Amino acid sequence: MGWGSIYKRRVKVFTLAVFIYLDYKSLQLREKWTKSSKRDELWEKAHECNAKRVLKLIVELEGLWVKLGQYLSTRADVLPPAYIRLLKQLQDSLPPRPLEEVRETITKELGKSMDDVFLDFDNIPLATASIAQVHRATLRDEQEVVVKVQHEGIKEIILEDLKNAKSIVDWIAWAEPQYNFNPMIDEWCKEAPKELDFNIEAENTRKVSRNLGCKSNCDDNNINRVDVLIPEVIMSTEKVLILEYMDGVRLNDSASLQALGVDKQKLVEEITRAYAHQIYVDGFFNGDPHPGNFLVSKAPPHRPILLDFGLTKWLSSSMKQALAKMFLASAEGDHVALLSSFTEMGLKLRLDLPEQVMEIANVFFRTSTPANEAAQTMKALADQRNKNMKAVQEKMKLNEKQVKRFNPVDAFPGDIIIFSRVINLLRGLSSTMDLRIVYVDIMRPFAESVLQCNVNKGPAANPNWIYDTPILSDVEYKLRKLLIELGNADKVLGIQVCAYKDGEVIIDTAAGALGRYDPRPVQPDSLFPVFSVSKGITAGMVHWLVDKGKLNLDDKVENIWPEFGSNGKDKIKVHHVLNHTSGLHNAMGSVTRENPLLMTDWDECLNCITKMVPETEPGREQLYHYLSFGWLCGGIIERKLLWLKLVMSVGLDRKSLRGSVSFPQSSPSLFPGEAEPCQEESVESRLATLTADMEDIKKLSEITKRPDIPPSFQSQIQDASQMASALPALFNTLFARRAIIPAANAHCSARALARYYAALVDQGAIPPPHASPAQPRLGSHPHIPKFAPPKPTKKRKGSKHKRDTDNSNDGNSSLRKASGTNYTKVPNDDTNSSTSSAARGDYGIGNDRSTAKLFTNSAIHDAFVGAGEYENLTLPGGQFGLGFKRSYSEDGKLIGFGHSGMGGSTGYCDIDSRFSIGITLNKMNMGGVTAKVMQLVCSELNIPLPADFYRFTERLDNEESNVAPLIN
């Protein structure tokens, strides 16, 4: 190409671009003065004229502009019909190049004359497209083939057109900054030249054919197997490609497809499956699925034939997982996973509007619509964009001029450009054929397989399933073996277990993955949603206020929280709230059923509490305050200390505002010294994602069918079953994760739970902090766990462990009993940071770091469980003391206290044995996993197993399903 030709092409392209831009801008002004009845006609004429102009220039210029026209011709879901009707001619019906040029190229490339290669060569091309044209021929061995011949000089034209396109995109970005397509054109400039070498296309064709199993003819039961055809490569050079001939009809030839009786819906669904396989399973996919690159075999069962693999894209394993995670997060409405996938793929946003991000993702993977709904689709997309930009304007405080120039994307990874193009082309393909394709249903199995290969295989296939931390005792060694068994049985997805004995850490194990679609390993400082486990944290804070003289258990709540006293709640006292006898057990039930997201609004929920009417007289009946407890205690704490917010999220330091028993920056913490700083941009990145053990939930539902179960209990179990299946979706939303829901969405590590209860069991003496947060950062998998050999143990009977001097003068406690324990520590150089006898004076309360204990009351344990002098403040025979669930041995002795949450997460301590344990898991079940863990640990330590867990393990051993889930 001479400079004269280059200059003329540039002038023509820019002239048309400016002309069309100004034409539509002027039309927007004119329609304001046009009758509404004639506006549609006005726009249709403009579309028709501009589409003809575009088509004429594309045919004249050829090259890259044909590619653009092909892409536009498939977007029947968003473009006016005039463009689709005219531009579809570009798919394979361009004017052919002279036959002499074609023959010359073949002879030059193959180094042989046409007669030496072909027995017969059809002079009329089957199709002519942007880069090459295709002729049917017969080789000398009588094999029928097609010959793809590159246009002469097309390489120079394509490269020049890329420069022109880049200039146009730069101009658009300047004129309309919100439409900055530079990342897309940059990726196109990198990938498009690869189409100009047919040797690359030949290898791509072979690779995709192998990946899809097109030549294997296997009839296995793989649900992700696809049924498509790809021609075999016979020969290739840079500019000539010879392929096996396959007899088929064009995908856009509706008459022929109808005559053959082809099911178009099934056909396009299979094409979509083929691309889902290429993207998510193979990580190597064809980037040009326009109708001209498909045929349909004439022979039954009329399978799709995939053609033209010049433009392909390879994805790294991490990018493939990120794309799969993005798709599944969009399908399930999981804001956290969606934002996490963006981080993993390198997509950075300039502002935090997760709701908008989810909306855009849903639009991207939306079900395709027929062409006749294009106008409606475009209007809906435009309305949503305007709404989103208005939200951006309000959040960023921009004026109208500024918001038009604001681009919310800070970094756009090139890898997803071609991916986006493919998804849009597939949608356009189905719209052109007037079909509705539900991409979520078709592509989900392929996307799931990408993550499940890393997540759901469990420890049997994943040597990194147990996180590589030192084994601290023989008990921990045996526990890890149990967790591996449970993991292989698919009962555990991700789990943490941490336990203290006599003030020292004896178990600190993390295993599994952070979520069903999040293959990152669970680390000791990962956070888990633990539900009602948080009640023990809230209760501990109330007791701290009492211990410091800021509150009395006999105080009326209305004296602390004036708005609370309305609607018959004036007799409710603090101890009624703590022991679940306030009568407000269902205070938030109806509200959350009508609008579950209301739970994410702290102030509104407190307001709802003040309006509620008690169902029973205070102190009369103990009914578990499953949801209202957190807001009741939280409202008291907030008013008493004049805090703006009580943040009940557990696992980090105070600076995070969502952290390891943690509260706002200005408040004293129940658990100072727990420094597990956030490793990534936000707390959400460390949170495990909930899922449910559907087998357990199914068993729970079956209980209601038993004739011997009382109707009231049937209803309770049925409600619990419905809650267990619905809760993960709700609490995986970013709304719930970021909200203050003190009785439901506390975020906690097992380390923090165990250390908190270790402090409570020693009357508030804080154990030393754990070692620094797990390294390497979340998301890497370099560790290989090594199990230390188990140490031979001998059980000692009746041994009495000495307590700290701080805990020996507690003669007023009615709970102290001697108990023998036994375990063997595994020597390890890495254990000194978590088991050292650091001076407890470094871990005080609030700003007074010299204070050794949280509590000065020597009978604080009696206060927790409502025993001794506090017995009159609790209901006789009740399950709950003052804020804590009482734990009894199998012979009926009161041995400790704690709290379990729906799904199995648990915090518990045994007072006599100076033992505490925290268990967190993200695969919610009825409690069987927790019971197995507790049974093993208590047995090995020779301490009594709490009756709740004992009954559960009995059920598990007998394979019965007549016990209610573990929730308290």
Side-chain angles (χ1 to χ4, degrees), residues 60-117:
E60 180 183 347
L61 298 180
E62 296 185 340
L64 182 70
W65 304 110
V66 175
K67 283 288 184 185
L68 176 61
Q70 290 172 343
Y71 173 74
L72 295 176
S73 71
T74 66
R75 299 310 311 275
D77 56 327
V78 293
L79 282 181
Y83 282 90
I84 304 303
R85 185 180 68 257
L86 292 167
L87 296 182
K88 70 190 305 184
Q89 301 173 44
L90 300 171
Q91 290 170 5
D92 55 15
S93 303
L94 287 172
R97 289 295 180 96
L99 185 62
E100 293 77 12
E101 178 187 309
V102 172
R103 288 178 173 272
E104 183 180 345
T105 300
I106 293 175
T107 302
K108 183 178 179 181
E109 287 291 306
L110 299 183
K112 299 178 182 179
S113 68
M114 294 281 289
D115 292 339
D116 290 339
V117 179

Side-chain angles (χ1 to χ4, degrees), residues 483-553:
L483 295 183
I484 287 175
E485 292 175 10
L486 293 170
N488 285 329
D490 199 25
K491 303 303 293 182
V492 170
L493 177 59
I495 190 169
Q496 296 170 322
V497 182
C498 183
Y500 282 73
K501 184 72 179 69
D502 300 322
E504 293 189 344
V505 181
I506 61 170
I507 297 172
D508 189 15
T509 288
L514 283 179
R516 184 182 176 196
Y517 302 132
D518 189 348
R520 293 178 299 164
V522 173
Q523 299 186 23
D525 59 345
S526 301
L527 303 180
F528 283 69
V530 296
F531 293 101
S532 292
V533 176
S534 62
K535 290 183 176 65
I537 314 298
T538 317
M541 193 68 225
V542 173
H543 280 287
W544 179 84
L545 291 172
V546 173
D547 190 77
K548 299 303 174 186
K550 300 177 182 295
L551 188 69
N552 291 314
L553 294 174

Side-chain angles (χ1 to χ4, degrees), residues 530-832:
V530 296
F531 293 101
S532 292
V533 176
S534 62
K535 290 183 176 65
I537 314 298
T538 317
M541 193 68 225
V542 173
H543 280 287
W544 179 84
L545 291 172
V546 173
D547 190 77
K548 299 303 174 186
K550 300 177 182 295
L551 188 69
N552 291 314
L553 294 174
D554 272 323
D555 285 346
K556 287 186 176 182
V557 177
E558 70 168 355
N559 293 337
I560 306 162
W561 181 0
E563 301 90 343
F564 181 84
S566 62
N567 299 318
K569 299 191 292 297
D570 54 302
K571 296 181 181 179
I572 296 176
K573 298 181 179 180
V574 172
H575 67 82
H576 293 137
V577 170
L578 286 175
N579 66 29
H580 299 266
T581 61
S582 73
L584 294 171
H585 44 282
N586 287 323
M588 296 298 296
S590 60
V591 175
T592 53
R593 278 193 296 270
E594 294 170 5
N595 180 15
L597 289 180
L598 181 66
M599 288 190 297
T600 64
D601 189 330
W602 166 262
D603 291 320
E604 185 57 33
C605 287
L606 289 183
N607 186 43
C608 289
I609 290 284
T610 63
K611 296 177 181 177
M612 292 298 166
V613 178
E615 295 185 28
T616 60
E617 286 290 324
R620 180 178 176 183
E621 187 176 3
Q622 190 175 77
L623 294 167
Y624 180 47
H625 292 30
Y626 68 104
L627 188 58
S628 58
F629 185 89
W631 282 299
L632 289 168
C633 289
I636 293 171
I637 297 169
E638 182 178 272
R639 266 59 179 183
K640 195 64 184 175
L641 295 183
L642 300 178
W643 294 347
L644 294 176
K645 289 286 183 287
L646 164 69
V647 180
M648 275 309 308
S649 299
V650 189
L652 296 177
D653 56 45
R654 284 179 288 172
K655 292 181 181 179
S656 68
L657 292 188
R658 285 185 288 273
S660 87
V661 178
S662 86
F663 297 90
Q665 180 72 23
S666 59
S667 71
S669 170
L670 259 181
F671 204 180
E674 182 69 69
E676 296 181 353
C678 184
Q679 294 178 338
E680 300 179 323
E681 292 83 357
S682 64
V683 172
E684 289 84 12
S685 65
R686 288 175 56 193
L687 284 175
T689 303
L690 291 171
T691 186
D693 189 331
M694 298 311 295
E695 291 184 6
D696 255 23
I697 292 175
K698 184 178 179 181
K699 292 177 183 177
L700 188 60
S701 302
E702 290 173 353
I703 299 176
T704 60
K705 301 175 184 177
R706 293 171 56 112
D708 57 328
I709 300 297
S712 59
F713 187 67
Q714 287 181 0
S715 175
Q716 179 184 348
I717 295 298
Q718 192 168 18
D719 288 346
S721 172
Q722 292 172 353
M723 280 181 65
S725 59
L727 275 175
L730 174 61
F731 282 92
N732 286 336
T733 65
L734 206 62
F735 293 105
R737 291 185 174 222
R738 290 181 171 179
I740 303 167
I741 314 178
N745 76 331
H747 303 147
C748 182
S749 66
R751 274 182 170 183
L753 266 182
R755 187 167 175 239
Y756 170 64
Y757 276 99
L760 297 189
V761 82
D762 278 348
Q763 294 184 300
I766 307 289
H770 285 273
S772 59
Q775 292 292 336
R777 291 159 65 98
L778 288 175
S780 53
H781 308 251
H783 54 278
I784 300 175
K786 296 178 182 178
F787 289 165
K791 302 289 182 182
T793 63
K794 226 182 208 180
K795 297 215 171 173
R796 296 174 294 175
K797 294 184 179 179
S799 97
K800 192 171 184 179
H801 290 267
K802 294 196 176 184
R803 299 174 172 82
D804 291 349
T805 55
D806 287 335
N807 298 323
S808 59
N809 299 323
D810 56 349
N812 292 334
S813 174
S814 61
L815 300 176
R816 291 293 185 186
K817 302 289 179 185
S819 173
T821 61
N822 187 11
Y823 65 91
T824 303
K825 292 180 63 176
V826 175
N828 194 301
D829 294 338
D830 295 329
T831 61
N832 58 345

Side-chain angles (χ1 to χ4, degrees), residues 97-150:
R97 289 295 180 96
L99 185 62
E100 293 77 12
E101 178 187 309
V102 172
R103 288 178 173 272
E104 183 180 345
T105 300
I106 293 175
T107 302
K108 183 178 179 181
E109 287 291 306
L110 299 183
K112 299 178 182 179
S113 68
M114 294 281 289
D115 292 339
D116 290 339
V117 179
F118 302 107
L119 190 64
D120 181 56
F121 189 89
D122 193 343
N123 294 333
I124 301 175
L126 293 173
T128 303
S130 58
I131 293 176
Q133 62 190 48
V134 178
H135 293 259
R136 186 173 177 180
T138 306
L139 296 176
R140 299 299 296 179
D141 62 2
E142 299 188 352
Q143 181 180 1
E144 292 193 22
V145 297
V146 293
V147 184
K148 185 175 181 180
V149 185
Q150 190 174 123

Side-chain angles (χ1 to χ4, degrees), residues 311-332:
L311 179 63
T312 55
K313 183 66 181 176
W314 175 83
L315 300 172
S316 66
S317 177
S318 58
M319 177 59 71
K320 188 171 65 172
Q321 290 185 13
L323 289 174
K325 190 172 176 180
M326 177 178 70
F327 174 83
L328 295 167
S330 171
E332 298 199 355

Side-chain angles (χ1 to χ4, degrees), residues 180-395:
N180 184 359
F181 302 115
N182 270 297
M184 300 180 189
I185 195 63
D186 291 342
E187 180 70 11
W188 192 264
C189 289
K190 184 176 72 173
E191 297 293 335
K194 296 178 183 178
E195 291 190 84
L196 301 171
D197 187 345
F198 288 170
N199 285 318
I200 295 176
E201 180 176 344
E203 182 54 36
N204 292 341
T205 304
R206 295 186 186 101
K207 185 171 183 178
V208 175
S209 181
R210 287 194 303 268
N211 289 342
L212 297 182
C214 295
K215 296 296 181 181
S216 63
N217 295 320
C218 62
D219 188 20
D220 54 30
N221 294 321
N222 184 359
I223 61 170
N224 289 340
R225 186 176 182 272
V226 297
D227 192 15
V228 296
L229 299 173
I230 295 177
E232 181 182 357
V233 176
I234 308 299
M235 186 187 304
S236 69
T237 69
E238 183 181 356
K239 296 181 180 180
V240 174
L241 178 62
I242 302 177
L243 301 167
E244 167 192 10
Y245 172 76
M246 287 187 169
D247 192 17
V249 299
R250 294 177 182 175
L251 195 62
N252 53 10
D253 188 350
S254 298
S256 296
L257 293 179
Q258 187 174 359
L260 289 172
V262 175
D263 185 340
K264 293 195 296 182
Q265 181 76 25
K266 183 178 179 181
L267 182 73
V268 176
E269 286 181 355
E270 196 62 29
I271 291 173
T272 305
R273 294 183 74 250
Y275 273 85
H277 193 292
Q278 291 176 63
I279 293 168
Y280 295 118
V281 178
D282 308 323
F284 186 80
F285 60 94
N286 176 15
D288 203 16
H290 66 76
N293 286 342
F294 297 101
L295 296 175
V296 182
S297 62
K298 290 183 179 179
H302 307 302
R303 289 180 286 179
I305 302 171
L306 278 55
L307 308 172
D308 193 352
F309 294 89
L311 179 63
T312 55
K313 183 66 181 176
W314 175 83
L315 300 172
S316 66
S317 177
S318 58
M319 177 59 71
K320 188 171 65 172
Q321 290 185 13
L323 289 174
K325 190 172 176 180
M326 177 178 70
F327 174 83
L328 295 167
S330 171
E332 298 199 355
D334 187 342
H335 292 74
V336 178
L338 184 63
L339 295 179
S340 175
S341 71
F342 285 176
T343 300
E344 290 167 24
M345 68 177 64
L347 177 61
K348 297 181 180 179
L349 305 176
R350 287 196 170 96
L351 69 170
D352 183 23
L353 286 173
E355 304 83 17
Q356 279 196 19
V357 174
M358 181 59 72
E359 286 179 3
I360 293 170
N362 288 334
V363 167
F364 187 69
F365 294 113
R366 70 188 184 278
T367 298
S368 65
T369 54
N372 59 9
E373 297 180 15
Q376 181 180 350
T377 302
M378 280 295 292
K379 185 179 184 305
L381 293 177
D383 290 344
Q384 182 167 321
R385 175 175 173 77
N386 291 336
K387 175 185 172 184
N388 289 344
M389 293 310 295
K390 185 176 181 181
V392 169
Q393 183 177 1
E394 292 175 355
K395 187 176 182 68

